[in-house]
């Protein structure tokens, strides 16, 4: 039983449920205490030890019967109660249907009549034929089950055959009660066979997922470039963002507390009083650390979309450390999204922004976006405002509108640029970044979440970036 529990834990991990070594040990110890005789108590012990998130409960409930079920769905012979005369009528009807529906369908009908479940080898062959190698995620099991049922012949054509058989038996003189019992058993066996295939699809999916290399750790994901992230990686990183923001918030709050303007700056005081032989006539205090005021411009084109997504998520989770933020996104033109974040939670707001601004095909126009910003939103910037541009600076050879960028620079405290592209690509092809860079206080490479978090963390250092 311990081996079966270990396989069950591996299956949970394969579907994306986090189960630590300590939790696995707790599960084995819990089963030692409660035993396996009472199935519900055994199930509750495993769920208590292994499930710690609400989203994991449906997956646990679906996997549990695959590993600790009550056996295969029962199938019973449908012909056992037939009289010799009715059996002859049935065989005659099957022979008459053979040419119309073919040998494969006839074999399936005889299986339903005899109540024979599929063997393990047959299920594995059906899974291979249905394309189990194409399975990539746990959610693919439903599609695999449909493909397997279709491959096994459980489709509308089978339903047509069942109706034709029942009609021919009625015409041959089989009484209504016997005909009804036969139909009920055939359909019960068909449903049992479909459930067996669903279970096999679930196990085939788990086996396929178990073949994948182990998931990267959070530290490895933090260092993985945005362009190399899989859908599963992105989902895990979205869950990591809140924990990352909490760490950044703590550091920012500590810096702000240390820089509240009421503490004596000893080094500066001693230095300016050297002319007084070290007597501190002229006291100097640490400059009060003001919360930054931000305006962000995020490129939502395909190449940098995920970097902008995580940047917006982090910035709005850190709002208590920021005086004010106004956010804008652009592809071929600029649009303000500040109100969306004011009305919704950051994760919901980000999803809405991405949905309302789908990427196009080589349609980025940063120059036009800057012109629209200067025309409609330049009053969002004052001498306390740090402007942050998130993008690769690629402009599809359109006018970069450096005059608009210069107008933004003159009004702002500083401009910071976060570029997800590696440095060797800056300035290649349609990249206008070398034209914008001299007008920026700093340009940072943010290829991954670790570099993005570091760049955001610097915003809250004394004096900013």
């Amino acid at each position: 039983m311990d081996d079966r529990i270990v396989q069950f834990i591996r299956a949970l991990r394969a579907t994306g449920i986090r189960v630590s070594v300590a939790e696995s040990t707790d599960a084995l110890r819990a089963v030692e205490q409660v035993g396996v005789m009472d199935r519900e108590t055994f199930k509750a012990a495993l769920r208590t030890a292994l499930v710690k998130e609400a989203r994991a409960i449906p997956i646990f409930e679906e996997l549990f019967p695959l590993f600790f079920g009550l056996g295969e769905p029962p199938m019973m012979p449908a012909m056992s109660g037939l009289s010799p005369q009715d059996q002859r009528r049935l065989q005659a009807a099957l022979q008459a249907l053979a040419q119309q529906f073919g040998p494969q369908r006839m074999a399936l009908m005889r299986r339903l009549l005899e109540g024979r479940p599929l063997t393990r080898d047959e299920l594995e062959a059906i899974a291979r034929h249905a394309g189990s190698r194409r399975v990539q995620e746990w959610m693919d099991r439903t599609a695999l089950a449909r493909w397997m049922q279709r491959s096994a012949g459980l489709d509308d054509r089978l339903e047509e055959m069942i109706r034709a058989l029942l009609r021919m038996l009625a015409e041959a003189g089989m009484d209504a009660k016997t005909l009804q019992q036969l139909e009920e058993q055939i359909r019960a066996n068909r449903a049992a066979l479909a459930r067996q295939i669903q279970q096999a699809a679930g196990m085939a999916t788990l086996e396929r997922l178990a073949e994948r290399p182990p998931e990267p750790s959070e530290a490895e994901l933090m260092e993985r470039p945005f362009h190399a992230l899989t859908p599963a990686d992105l989902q895990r990183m979205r869950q990591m963002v809140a924990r990352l923001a909490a760490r950044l918030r703590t550091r920012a709050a500590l810096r702000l507390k240390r820089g509240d303007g009421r503490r004596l700056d000893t080094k500066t005081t001693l230095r300016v009083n050297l002319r007084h032989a070290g007597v501190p006539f002229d006291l100097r205090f640490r400059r009060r650390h003001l919360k930054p005021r931000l305006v962000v411009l995020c490129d939502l084109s395909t190449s940098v979309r995920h970097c902008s997504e995580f940047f917006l998520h982090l910035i709005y989770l850190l709002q208590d450390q920021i005086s004010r933020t106004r956010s804008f996104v652009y592809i071929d033109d600029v649009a303000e999204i500040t109100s969306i974040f004011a009305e919704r939670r950051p994760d919901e707001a980000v999803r809405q922004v991405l949905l309302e601004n789908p990427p196009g095909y080589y349609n980025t126009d940063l120059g036009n976006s800057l012109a629209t910003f200067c025309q409609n939103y330049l009053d969002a910037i004052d001498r306390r405002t740090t402007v942050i541009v998130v993008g690769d600076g690629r402009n599809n050879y359109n006018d970069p509108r450096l005059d608009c960028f210069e107008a933004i620079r003159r009004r702002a405290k500083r401009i910071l640029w976060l570029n997800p592209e590696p440095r060797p690509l800056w300035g290649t092809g349609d990249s206008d970044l070398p034209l914008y860079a001299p007008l920026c206080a700093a340009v940072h490479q943010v290829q991954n979440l670790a570099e993005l978090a570091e760049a955001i963390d610097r915003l809250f250092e004394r004096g900013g970036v």
Side-chain angles (χ1 to χ4, degrees):
M1 179 57 71
D2 285 355
D3 291 341
R4 194 65 171 167
I5 293 174
V6 171
Q7 293 174 0
F8 178 60
I9 293 171
R10 288 175 179 168
L12 288 173
R13 288 173 177 159
T15 62
I17 304 302
R18 293 184 296 112
V19 180
S20 67
V21 175
E23 290 163 344
S24 302
T25 304
D26 289 343
L28 293 171
R29 289 175 178 170
V31 172
E32 280 183 15
Q33 297 297 318
V34 303
V36 297
M37 299 304 294
D38 187 325
R39 187 170 185 269
E40 290 304 315
T41 303
F42 167 67
K43 179 180 178 181
L46 286 182
R47 184 168 55 192
T48 301
L50 300 176
V51 175
K52 52 190 174 295
E53 297 176 316
R55 71 180 187 87
I57 294 177
I59 297 176
F60 177 93
E61 294 293 337
E62 187 171 0
L63 292 186
F64 184 84
L66 296 183
F67 288 85
F68 311 105
L70 300 176
E72 295 179 343
M75 295 180 67
M76 301 294 293
M79 302 183 296
S80 58
L82 297 181
S83 65
Q85 184 179 9
D86 284 337
Q87 291 188 11
R88 288 193 295 271
R89 289 168 176 159
L90 178 60
Q91 295 302 326
L94 290 174
Q95 291 176 5
L97 292 173
Q99 291 184 348
Q100 180 181 353
F101 291 95
Q104 182 181 3
R105 200 79 57 181
M106 286 302 302
L108 177 58
M109 177 59 74
R110 290 189 180 278
R111 184 184 295 275
L112 296 179
L113 289 167
E114 296 168 5
R116 286 187 295 109
L118 293 164
T119 66
R120 181 177 179 82
D121 290 342
E122 287 172 331
L123 288 169
E124 290 177 351
I126 292 172
R128 287 194 299 271
H129 183 265
S132 60
R133 302 298 296 178
R134 291 178 290 179
V135 169
Q136 298 294 328
E137 304 293 340
W138 173 238
M139 65 183 66
D140 294 339
R141 71 198 181 284
T142 304
L144 178 60
R146 288 198 303 268
W147 297 332
M148 289 179 65
Q149 290 177 7
R150 193 176 300 121
S151 181
L154 298 181
D155 53 16
D156 293 341
R157 186 68 169 161
L158 176 62
E159 178 62 27
E160 181 183 344
M161 186 178 184
I162 293 173
R163 292 178 179 178
L165 175 64
L166 295 172
R167 184 175 62 254
M168 293 178 68
L169 291 174
E171 292 172 354
M174 182 177 287
D175 67 90
K177 183 177 180 180
T178 303
L179 201 61
Q180 181 181 357
Q181 292 174 347
L182 181 65
E183 179 182 3
E184 289 176 354
Q185 193 57 59
I186 289 174
R187 295 194 182 281
N189 286 343
R190 176 181 177 175
L193 206 61
R195 290 197 301 273
Q196 186 187 13
I197 289 175
Q198 287 175 346
Q199 292 180 0
M203 294 302 295
T205 301
L206 291 173
E207 291 171 1
R208 173 63 175 160
L209 296 180
E211 295 174 0
R212 298 189 308 185
E215 289 188 341
S217 66
E218 289 194 359
E220 291 172 330
L221 274 183
M222 291 280 290
E223 299 290 341
R224 182 168 293 183
F226 289 115
H227 67 81
L229 295 173
T230 66
D233 293 338
L234 288 171
Q235 184 59 34
R236 284 187 63 198
M237 289 178 67
R238 291 184 183 108
Q239 297 168 7
M240 292 162 50
V241 163
R243 297 194 296 274
L244 177 59
R247 292 198 294 269
L248 294 176
R249 185 186 298 111
T250 300
R251 289 210 292 264
L254 288 174
R255 291 193 189 108
L256 189 61
K257 184 177 180 180
R258 288 195 297 266
D260 62 2
R262 302 305 302 168
R263 297 179 62 186
L264 180 69
D265 190 336
T266 307
K267 291 182 179 178
T268 305
T269 298
L270 291 175
R271 185 170 61 252
V272 300
N273 285 282
L274 288 176
R275 62 181 180 272
H276 304 304
V279 178
F281 288 112
D282 187 3
L283 299 180
R284 296 297 175 89
F285 293 89
R286 292 183 179 178
R287 181 172 59 88
R288 183 170 180 266
H289 184 58
L290 298 176
K291 292 181 178 180
R293 181 179 295 173
L294 303 180
V295 164
V296 299
L297 286 164
C298 290
D299 185 354
L300 289 187
S301 59
T302 304
S303 56
V304 295
R305 194 171 182 85
H306 292 308
C307 178
S308 294
E309 171 188 347
F310 288 119
F311 174 80
L312 287 171
H313 207 143
L314 284 170
I315 283 295
Y316 274 88
L317 285 172
L318 292 166
Q319 282 302 290
D320 56 342
Q321 302 301 321
I322 298 172
S323 175
R324 185 179 66 191
T325 302
R326 289 185 67 178
S327 297
F328 303 83
V329 295
Y330 69 89
I331 299 179
D332 57 347
D333 203 357
V334 73
E336 184 168 9
I337 59 171
T338 308
S339 61
I340 297 177
F341 282 90
E343 298 166 358
R344 297 176 179 270
R345 292 170 55 87
D347 53 343
E348 297 173 351
V350 168
R351 282 196 297 270
Q352 180 177 339
V353 167
L354 296 178
L355 183 64
E356 293 179 355
N357 296 272
Y361 183 74
Y362 290 107
N363 62 333
T364 305
D365 192 339
L366 176 55
N368 181 62
S369 301
L370 291 172
T372 300
F373 182 88
C374 286
Q375 180 178 351
N376 299 330
Y377 304 111
L378 200 58
D379 60 350
I381 301 173
D382 59 27
R383 62 180 183 84
R384 285 184 53 193
T385 304
T386 295
V387 177
I388 302 177
V389 182
V390 183
D392 54 14
R394 295 192 175 274
N395 204 24
N396 289 312
Y397 302 101
N398 294 310
D399 184 354
R401 294 304 304 267
L402 294 179
D403 57 322
C404 296
F405 202 70
E406 172 65 29
I408 294 172
R409 187 195 66 81
R410 286 196 301 267
R411 290 182 64 94
K413 178 180 180 181
R414 57 180 172 269
I415 301 178
L416 309 175
W417 195 299
L418 310 183
N419 190 344
E421 278 194 335
R423 289 182 183 275
L425 295 181
W426 297 2
T428 63
D430 63 337
S431 172
D432 288 330
L433 188 62
L435 302 177
Y436 296 115
L439 303 176
C440 299
V443 181
H444 298 285
Q445 173 184 285
V446 288
Q447 275 192 279
N448 51 50
L449 191 56
E451 292 179 347
L452 179 61
E454 181 182 0
I456 293 175
D457 192 31
R458 291 181 184 177
L459 284 173
F460 304 99
E461 293 178 353
R462 182 171 301 283
V465 178

